[in-house]
Amino acid sequence: MAVSMDDDVPLILTLDESGSNTLAPNEELDREDLPNENGGSYDIVNDVSSPATGDYHSQQRSAGHNWEMNYQEAAIYLQEGENNDKFLTHPKNAKALAAYIFVHNHLFYLMELTTALLLLLLSLCEAPAVPILRLGIYIHATLELFALVVVVFELSMKMRWMGFYTYIRHKRTMVKTCVLLVQFVEAIVVLVRQTSHVRITRALRCIFLVDCRYCGAVRRNLRQIFQSLPPFIDILLLLLFFMVIFAILGFYLFSPNHSDPYFSTLENSLVNLFVLLTTSNFPDVMMPSYSRNPWSCVFFIVYLSIELYFIMNLLLAVVFDTFSDIEKRKFKSLLLHKRTAIQHAYRLLISKQRPSGISFKQFEGLMRFYKPRMCARDRYLTFKALNQSNAPLVSLKDFYNFYEVVGLQWKAKRNREHWFDDLPQTAFLIFKGINILVKSRAFQYAMYIVVAVNGIWILIQTFMLQGGNFFPRDVPWSYIIFLTIYGVELLLKTTGLGPIEYLSSGWNLFDFSVTLFAFLGLLALAFNMEPFYFIVVLRPLQLLRLFKLKKRYRNVLDTMFELFPRMASLGLTLLIFYYSFAIVGMEFFSGVVYPNCCNTSTVADAYRWVNHTVGNKTVVEEGYYYLNNFDNILNSFVTLFELTVVNDWYIIMEGVTSQTSHWSRLYFMIFYIVTMVVMTIIVAFILEAFVFRMNYTRKNRDSEEDNGIVLEKEVAKEEIAGVIELYRRNCVASETAQLQKVITQMDKYGQTSMLFLGRRSRTKSDLSMKMYEEEIQEWYEEHSRKAYQWQEDVFPSSTPLQSSGLRQRSQTVT
Amino acid sequence: MAVSMDDDVPLILTLDESGSNTLAPNEELDREDLPNENGGSYDIVNDVSSPATGDYHSQQRSAGHNWEMNYQEAAIYLQEGENNDKFLTHPKNAKALAAYIFVHNHLFYLMELTTALLLLLLSLCEAPAVPILRLGIYIHATLELFALVVVVFELSMKMRWMGFYTYIRHKRTMVKTCVLLVQFVEAIVVLVRQTSHVRITRALRCIFLVDCRYCGAVRRNLRQIFQSLPPFIDILLLLLFFMVIFAILGFYLFSPNHSDPYFSTLENSLVNLFVLLTTSNFPDVMMPSYSRNPWSCVFFIVYLSIELYFIMNLLLAVVFDTFSDIEKRKFKSLLLHKRTAIQHAYRLLISKQRPSGISFKQFEGLMRFYKPRMCARDRYLTFKALNQSNAPLVSLKDFYNFYEVVGLQWKAKRNREHWFDDLPQTAFLIFKGINILVKSRAFQYAMYIVVAVNGIWILIQTFMLQGGNFFPRDVPWSYIIFLTIYGVELLLKTTGLGPIEYLSSGWNLFDFSVTLFAFLGLLALAFNMEPFYFIVVLRPLQLLRLFKLKKRYRNVLDTMFELFPRMASLGLTLLIFYYSFAIVGMEFFSGVVYPNCCNTSTVADAYRWVNHTVGNKTVVEEGYYYLNNFDNILNSFVTLFELTVVNDWYIIMEGVTSQTSHWSRLYFMIFYIVTMVVMTIIVAFILEAFVFRMNYTRKNRDSEEDNGIVLEKEVAKEEIAGVIELYRRNCVASETAQLQKVITQMDKYGQTSMLFLGRRSRTKSDLSMKMYEEEIQEWYEEHSRKAYQWQEDVFPSSTPLQSSGLRQRSQTVT
């Protein structure tokens, strides 16, 4: 076998690991010649996303520096793996790469987001606008056009990066383009006609937000919702089927009773049973027939038992089941996608000379593009952490851990236990005492008791007040006492534990902010600042501290915090649905309900507003429901929230229906079903997450307290010297400041090596890894069985940046 | 080792299986001498539960026939294992055994049930009685006393059977006794005073029903509910805690607004936020403050998001999780309990001569007590099925399968495929043709289309009708046409498949009953029998047949049928809670609401009943809510159902509260929380059952269609002859009729052996067995590790009937 001994030529190997065997003899040499490698001129590009990089890159290329190119492409592969981007959209040539780099940076992402938000927020100012935000047609249409032009620019960049064929085959992007076109035409029409027409298409503006890089979680949620739809629809049909049967039955049974308005026609019967499904009209819908014949309640009891208590729960069960299944499959595909990305990157990083692994030089080159902000010390530590076999090269097997290791935050392991260890003896003893006190159970329980007493005090105090203005003239003494106690606690804890350790616990952070708020409240009271009174009112929140007491609550609240990002993204998804429905609602129902609007309908009372005098007193009879309207987007959101809560939603529906046509009911019913889908998914999500966590803790009951992933690495002095030497040779000595500092520290304490701790918080993915431990091995095997095919299938079609050329070259060399 | 060679002495061995090794040489002999055994005089006691058995048994004992005693005790052990009765309550002497046998039979169970139901139903006739069922105080008090006396009798029998010490330590029984005493005293007081006092204790009558043998499922549900309570209460506290915080906050924020009645005092604030938790007052509670300041909606949105959408779901998650965990632990303990029962029984069935297993003679003796109705053929087949190693004796390992095998229904495997195989050629061909037609997909789909067309037809027909009397003068032709088609289908299917095969499928049974109902409807129409018109109305139900089409629906409906018994028992559990609350409600709130009762409250409208004339028309304004009262037990049940559905429950609460004191709210709130517990458990149950089933099907995707457990056994002619001989020797030739028939059949077809199929439907326990396959082995190992201890611990304390004596004897023999 003729292997080129040219030191610096990357080799693209097929991924069967035979190479490592045939080239094994070279491995021993690598460690020694590591610093001697000439890795090209190390002009460090600090920001992978600077627009200049494109040019720089092509210069590099023309100079024949293949490594830089490989590093960058490998970094891109790893990013694609992390973001779950398809490799089909991998940039295929230098021009595409330039566009890719231009597009993939936070500045661009922010621009995307702002444009999308601007477009969405425009509906605050358009036609049925929020009164104080109303803008002239010229202004908002021009703003819209401007935003749309920015979107056009974004899309053209995307096309440049993806290539035309991939672009038109990418569904989401195509939909976005179509929506863009429609919006453009409509915006121009508005400008020309100088009046807004019925623009339901504005409901589609959400796509601009959904397509944002930062809204990946929302996209995932939407995908999950759509994937859960088929079983959902199946059960929904069952539900509707029973509804129809009962509607026919109800019509036959109750329509002879003329005092029963709910079943007078089949349509009424259907609508009222649909509403009954939500229980919203429950006893009322039964009452007329019940007053005639008590046994008619059987009809309603059977209906509710079947529909509400059985099929609705079945719906949840089916969605929950699908959801857990999808979660698992998603985890699997993400895992395998990452693995493939790592394989791609690995191919680009091994050199002809050392085909059995990645040397630090190559790894460093990769990290410059993948994580430009990471300092040299951390890069070296990451490399060490990856390198489990402690060989000079990182093999593919070790490199598979890339994503787990790269997120670690490195810190030198401190020798001292407390922050005050270096202080003089007396001070040390004092602080040590405080430390012991603060950590003692007695202190904790004393604080719990104080909080409980405070809580009861507040409750009693509030109970004594009876209406009126509560803003006291002077600060109550109880407030000062409790605040003093909390202040002392805060002081003791910060001094006893050190501010860093103190604030590293979420609960302490909570205590801190509550105490701070209480202090602000005191100021507000002392200086009579009434608008800040709400701070005083928030005081009872500190009772939450009591929930530290029980393990289950800690568990629940921890889960709550863990779930928070996903919950927020689900909430955002719901808001996107809200937005679309709000736009449609505003276009059709804006201004249709007002006080006393619905006097002919069955819900007239709820909309009544009468101001009459009885004797010499003015009595206002207010139904208030006219407030639940679609007059502007904010009102619409509130109305839609009320519809989501479901109770009495039919009053809103009937009110609007009586003022428009009875087809309006369709809008409300569809909205109900959509929110039912989303809500069921939210419930399924909470269930899944919680049950998963409980199962996890049950499985690992005797394992250590959960405080994230921790890795320990020891680094010798000469290693660091070697790394510094490497950097110096490559003229980037400026990056080695951290490493120099490490050496200085070692000298100071007279150590020859130093321990570092890598730490990161545990993610759902880590939990899943542990839960599906056994299955993961199967997946991997299955995946590697397909690996050869993948080599053959994926590569020729998507021809990555250099590989084809290189493969050719390596063939010629061979 | 000196083993007594006395042929007929049972040996109680310690359960380590060393015995089987030391005594192995004897095993070969067993097969031959099976018919020669002299097993005592075989006076077959056909009914284990006849009261005479006790006497008979003691006679037997005095005659020294230990085997009969052992058989009976083994059967009792196996029954205890099956019913999950504790071995602590195992009868300890002959008197206890007599009582045990007297108590454990269906006649006694039925008496228990009737008494309990009588006591419960009495509340229909007592003081606030259902008008048409009102009875005089003398009558119902006497009835009650009579029922209570019967309960006393039952309890005394129980005490006789259990023994005094076990009796007073058995919690449920003790509670029952106390309740009985109280009821007795109260019934006598009622009789003496001749007027009913406030008898809240009647709410405790449920215990008589719960304690019934037939209500085991209800007891299990209650236990499960109580076991799920601790985590439930934890989360409930979290919920209430947030409620209190928000109540204080809401009071401070909204009480300055005097037009807002919902937050005027802290109590109002609390009550209304509690109601808001159920969403029952949702937009209304927000409206007054919302009309003042639109931003106040934030308070309500945050409250609902935290409480309703997060913590309530958390509640479900926690309950679901606990529920699944409990289900698994319950399954484990049941499994191990059965195993222990089998061990106990096994010890009693092995003889001194053959300590390595149970011979057929012993097994037959056991079955006479355990399943007196089983015929000799089936007993022998069961024995064969147990005997997996085909050795003459059934070892303990094989005997562990007892419960799985004993439920099998045995049938000779038919050689013919269709019922018409024996008919002459022409008829055969015709029926074969019909068979193929009926089984073809085309025929099925044609029927689906007919059903769909029929459904659409009915829908359109109903849509055309507009109110009035629908009873048509003559039978519509469409009705006749469709009925004819269904009739033809029914005829074809029964002839094509044979009536037995046809009716063995649940779906066909459904088709059959629907068609029958349609036919009855036709008769009702033809003969103008209006009261039966509901049959015609039920027609749309046949659309359910369409749900056969899709696999998911079949799955759902199958699960539904599987769940039905558990659902029914859960429903019954709910009814028991209803009963208690209904009694309390009747005692306190009977007669407090009536038309126009609550004019001073905020819900006056709902109770208004005004009959006034506008112009020359009489307008009735009816609020109807006065119908939701506690005036008798039936009304109370309906009211409680309305409270369960939750919507507008606060109207009922406020109505009652305005007429009584504001402490009444406690009743309604506690009821809400109780139903919330039960409902959450029902949801968790449905979820668990469904998800379990889905996981099961996913795990066994490629396994056969689910048609129960099937076992095949071949029996040779000489074996049967041997068994007949055995029976003949023991003078019970009357039992061998079935066996004789088998021999006759074999002779007819000239076979030397015959195949039998044992079949039973798959239960949840079978599914669990398969799901937890791996873990079960661990449990068994753990269990057998404890077995030695169990020998030592359990036996000396509970000293079963004979074992202690026998152990002594066997020691002396040795």
Side-chain angles (χ1 to χ4, degrees), chain A residues 182-221:
Chain A
V182 172
Q183 299 288 312
F184 232 117
V185 172
E186 288 204 295
I188 290 169
V189 168
V190 168
L191 262 183
V192 171
R193 293 182 61 222
Q194 299 205 24
T195 169
S196 270
H197 51 282
V198 179
R199 285 187 63 188
I200 307 175
T201 50
R202 286 192 295 157
L204 298 172
R205 278 179 187 167
C206 309
I207 186 113
F208 299 125
L209 185 66
V210 170
D211 195 52
C212 277
R213 164 69 51 164
Y214 289 137
C215 291
V218 174
R219 281 200 300 279
R220 271 196 293 283
N221 287 333

Coordinates of all heavy atoms in Angstrom, one line a residue, chain A residues 182-221:
Chain A
V182 N -47.7 36.4 -1.5 CA -49.1 36.8 -1.2 C -49.1 38.1 -0.4 O -49.7 39.1 -0.7 CB -49.9 35.7 -0.5 CG1 -51.2 36.2 0.0 CG2 -50.0 34.5 -1.4
Q183 N -48.2 38.1 0.7 CA -48.2 39.3 1.6 C -47.7 40.5 0.8 O -48.2 41.6 1.0 CB -47.2 39.0 2.7 CG -47.6 37.8 3.6 CD -48.7 38.2 4.5 OE1 -48.8 39.2 5.1 NE2 -49.7 37.3 4.5
F184 N -46.7 40.3 -0.1 CA -46.2 41.4 -0.9 C -47.3 42.0 -1.7 O -47.6 43.2 -1.7 CB -45.1 40.8 -1.8 CG -43.8 41.6 -1.7 CD1 -42.7 41.0 -1.3 CD2 -43.8 43.0 -2.0 CE1 -41.5 41.7 -1.1 CE2 -42.6 43.7 -1.9 CZ -41.5 43.0 -1.5
V185 N -48.0 41.2 -2.4 CA -49.1 41.6 -3.3 C -50.1 42.4 -2.5 O -50.5 43.5 -2.8 CB -49.7 40.5 -4.0 CG1 -51.0 40.9 -4.8 CG2 -48.7 39.8 -5.0
E186 N -50.5 41.8 -1.3 CA -51.5 42.4 -0.5 C -51.1 43.7 0.0 O -51.8 44.7 0.1 CB -52.0 41.5 0.6 CG -52.8 40.3 0.0 CD -53.7 39.7 1.1 OE1 -53.1 39.2 2.1 OE2 -54.9 39.8 0.9
A187 N -49.8 43.8 0.5 CA -49.3 45.0 1.1 C -49.3 46.2 0.0 O -49.7 47.3 0.3 CB -47.9 44.8 1.6
I188 N -49.0 45.8 -1.2 CA -49.0 46.8 -2.3 C -50.4 47.2 -2.6 O -50.7 48.4 -2.7 CB -48.3 46.2 -3.5 CG1 -46.8 46.1 -3.2 CG2 -48.5 47.1 -4.8 CD1 -46.0 45.4 -4.3
V189 N -51.3 46.2 -2.6 CA -52.7 46.5 -2.9 C -53.2 47.5 -1.8 O -53.9 48.5 -2.1 CB -53.6 45.2 -2.9 CG1 -55.1 45.6 -2.8 CG2 -53.3 44.4 -4.1
V190 N -52.9 47.3 -0.6 CA -53.3 48.1 0.5 C -52.8 49.6 0.3 O -53.5 50.5 0.4 CB -52.8 47.6 1.9 CG1 -53.0 48.6 3.0 CG2 -53.6 46.3 2.3
L191 N -51.5 49.6 -0.1 CA -50.9 51.0 -0.3 C -51.6 51.7 -1.5 O -51.9 52.9 -1.4 CB -49.4 50.8 -0.7 CG -48.4 51.0 0.5 CD1 -47.0 50.9 0.0 CD2 -48.7 52.4 1.1
V192 N -52.0 50.9 -2.5 CA -52.6 51.6 -3.7 C -54.0 52.0 -3.3 O -54.4 53.1 -3.6 CB -52.6 50.6 -4.9 CG1 -53.4 51.1 -6.0 CG2 -51.1 50.4 -5.3
R193 N -54.8 51.0 -2.7 CA -56.2 51.4 -2.4 C -56.3 52.3 -1.2 O -57.4 52.8 -0.9 CB -57.0 50.1 -2.2 CG -57.1 49.2 -3.4 CD -58.0 48.0 -3.1 NE -59.3 48.3 -2.7 CZ -60.0 47.8 -1.7 NH1 -59.4 46.8 -1.0 NH2 -61.2 48.1 -1.3
Q194 N -55.3 52.4 -0.5 CA -55.3 53.2 0.8 C -56.3 52.8 1.8 O -56.8 53.6 2.5 CB -55.4 54.7 0.4 CG -54.2 55.1 -0.4 CD -54.0 56.6 -0.2 OE1 -54.3 57.2 0.8 NE2 -53.3 57.2 -1.2
T195 N -56.7 51.5 1.7 CA -57.7 51.0 2.7 C -57.4 49.5 2.9 O -57.0 48.8 1.9 CB -59.1 51.3 2.3 OG1 -59.9 50.5 3.2 CG2 -59.4 50.8 0.9
S196 N -57.6 49.0 4.1 CA -57.4 47.6 4.3 C -58.5 46.8 3.8 O -59.7 47.1 4.1 CB -57.1 47.3 5.8 OG -55.8 47.4 6.1
H197 N -58.3 45.7 3.1 CA -59.3 44.8 2.7 C -59.3 43.6 3.7 O -58.5 43.6 4.7 CB -59.1 44.3 1.3 CG -57.8 43.8 1.0 ND1 -56.7 44.6 0.8 CD2 -57.3 42.5 1.0 CE1 -55.6 43.9 0.6 NE2 -56.0 42.6 0.7
V198 N -60.2 42.6 3.5 CA -60.2 41.5 4.4 C -58.9 40.7 4.2 O -58.8 40.0 3.2 CB -61.5 40.6 4.1 CG1 -61.5 39.4 5.0 CG2 -62.7 41.4 4.2
R199 N -58.0 40.8 5.1 CA -56.7 40.2 4.9 C -56.5 39.0 5.9 O -55.8 39.1 6.8 CB -55.6 41.2 5.1 CG -55.5 42.2 4.0 CD -54.2 43.0 4.2 NE -53.0 42.2 4.2 CZ -51.8 42.7 4.5 NH1 -51.7 44.0 4.9 NH2 -50.8 41.9 4.4
I200 N -57.3 37.9 5.6 CA -57.1 36.7 6.4 C -55.7 36.2 6.3 O -55.2 35.5 7.2 CB -58.1 35.7 6.0 CG1 -59.5 36.3 6.0 CG2 -58.2 34.5 7.0 CD1 -60.6 35.4 5.5
T201 N -55.1 36.4 5.1 CA -53.8 35.8 4.9 C -52.8 36.3 6.0 O -51.7 35.7 6.2 CB -53.3 36.1 3.5 OG1 -53.4 37.5 3.3 CG2 -54.0 35.4 2.5
R202 N -53.1 37.4 6.7 CA -52.2 37.8 7.7 C -52.0 36.8 8.8 O -51.0 36.7 9.5 CB -52.8 39.1 8.4 CG -52.7 40.4 7.5 CD -53.0 41.6 8.3 NE -54.4 41.6 8.8 CZ -54.8 42.2 9.8 NH1 -54.0 42.9 10.6 NH2 -56.1 42.2 10.1
A203 N -53.0 35.9 8.9 CA -52.9 34.8 9.8 C -51.7 33.9 9.5 O -51.2 33.2 10.4 CB -54.2 33.9 9.8
L204 N -51.2 34.0 8.3 CA -50.1 33.1 7.9 C -48.8 33.7 8.2 O -47.7 33.1 8.0 CB -50.2 32.8 6.4 CG -51.4 32.1 5.9 CD1 -51.5 32.0 4.4 CD2 -51.4 30.7 6.5
R205 N -48.8 35.0 8.7 CA -47.5 35.6 9.0 C -46.7 34.8 10.0 O -45.5 35.0 10.1 CB -47.8 37.0 9.7 CG -48.1 38.1 8.7 CD -48.4 39.3 9.4 NE -48.8 40.4 8.4 CZ -49.3 41.5 8.8 NH1 -49.5 41.7 10.1 NH2 -49.7 42.4 7.9
C206 N -47.4 34.0 10.8 CA -46.7 33.2 11.8 C -45.5 32.4 11.2 O -44.5 32.1 11.9 CB -47.6 32.2 12.5 SG -49.1 32.9 13.0
I207 N -45.7 32.0 10.0 CA -44.7 31.2 9.4 C -43.3 31.8 9.4 O -42.3 31.2 9.6 CB -45.0 30.8 7.9 CG1 -44.0 29.8 7.3 CG2 -45.1 32.0 7.0 CD1 -44.6 28.5 7.1
F208 N -43.3 33.2 9.4 CA -42.0 33.9 9.4 C -41.4 33.7 10.8 O -40.1 33.5 10.9 CB -42.2 35.4 9.2 CG -42.7 35.6 7.8 CD1 -43.9 36.4 7.6 CD2 -42.1 35.1 6.7 CE1 -44.4 36.6 6.4 CE2 -42.6 35.4 5.4 CZ -43.8 36.1 5.2
L209 N -42.2 33.6 11.8 CA -41.6 33.4 13.1 C -41.2 32.0 13.3 O -40.1 31.7 13.8 CB -42.7 33.8 14.2 CG -42.2 33.7 15.6 CD1 -41.1 34.8 15.9 CD2 -43.3 33.9 16.6
V210 N -42.1 31.1 12.8 CA -41.8 29.6 13.0 C -40.5 29.3 12.3 O -39.7 28.4 12.8 CB -43.0 28.8 12.5 CG1 -42.6 27.3 12.4 CG2 -44.2 29.0 13.3
D211 N -40.2 29.9 11.2 CA -39.0 29.6 10.4 C -37.7 30.1 11.0 O -36.6 29.8 10.5 CB -39.2 30.1 9.0 CG -38.2 29.5 8.0 OD1 -38.1 28.2 8.0 OD2 -37.5 30.2 7.3
C212 N -37.8 31.0 12.0 CA -36.6 31.5 12.6 C -35.8 30.4 13.2 O -36.3 29.5 13.8 CB -37.0 32.5 13.7 SG -37.4 34.1 13.2
R213 N -34.5 30.7 13.1 CA -33.5 29.7 13.7 C -33.8 29.5 15.2 O -33.8 28.5 15.8 CB -32.1 30.2 13.5 CG -31.0 29.7 14.3 CD -30.7 28.2 14.0 NE -30.5 28.0 12.6 CZ -29.9 26.8 12.1 NH1 -29.5 25.9 13.0 NH2 -29.8 26.6 10.8
Y214 N -34.1 30.6 15.9 CA -34.4 30.6 17.4 C -35.6 29.8 17.8 O -35.9 29.6 18.9 CB -34.4 32.0 18.0 CG -33.0 32.6 18.0 CD1 -32.9 34.0 17.6 CD2 -31.9 31.9 18.4 CE1 -31.6 34.6 17.6 CE2 -30.7 32.5 18.4 CZ -30.5 33.8 18.0 OH -29.3 34.4 18.0
C215 N -36.5 29.6 16.8 CA -37.8 29.0 17.1 C -37.8 27.5 16.8 O -38.8 26.9 16.5 CB -38.9 29.7 16.4 SG -39.2 31.3 17.0
G216 N -36.6 26.9 16.8 CA -36.5 25.5 16.5 C -37.4 24.6 17.4 O -38.0 23.7 17.0
A217 N -37.5 25.0 18.7 CA -38.3 24.3 19.6 C -39.8 24.3 19.2 O -40.5 23.3 19.3 CB -38.2 24.8 21.0
V218 N -40.2 25.5 18.7 CA -41.6 25.6 18.2 C -41.8 24.7 17.0 O -42.9 24.0 16.9 CB -41.9 27.1 17.9 CG1 -43.3 27.2 17.3 CG2 -41.8 27.9 19.1
R219 N -40.9 24.7 16.1 CA -41.0 23.8 15.0 C -41.1 22.3 15.4 O -41.9 21.6 14.9 CB -39.8 24.0 14.0 CG -39.8 25.2 13.2 CD -38.9 25.0 12.0 NE -37.5 24.9 12.4 CZ -36.7 25.9 12.7 NH1 -37.1 27.1 12.7 NH2 -35.5 25.6 13.1
R220 N -40.3 22.0 16.4 CA -40.3 20.6 16.9 C -41.7 20.3 17.5 O -42.3 19.3 17.2 CB -39.2 20.4 17.9 CG -37.9 19.9 17.3 CD -37.0 19.3 18.4 NE -36.6 20.3 19.4 CZ -35.6 21.2 19.1 NH1 -35.0 21.3 18.0 NH2 -35.3 22.1 20.1
N221 N -42.2 21.3 18.2 CA -43.5 21.1 18.8 C -44.6 20.9 17.7 O -45.4 20.0 17.8 CB -44.0 22.3 19.7 CG -43.2 22.3 21.0 OD1 -42.7 21.3 21.4 ND2 -43.0 23.5 21.5

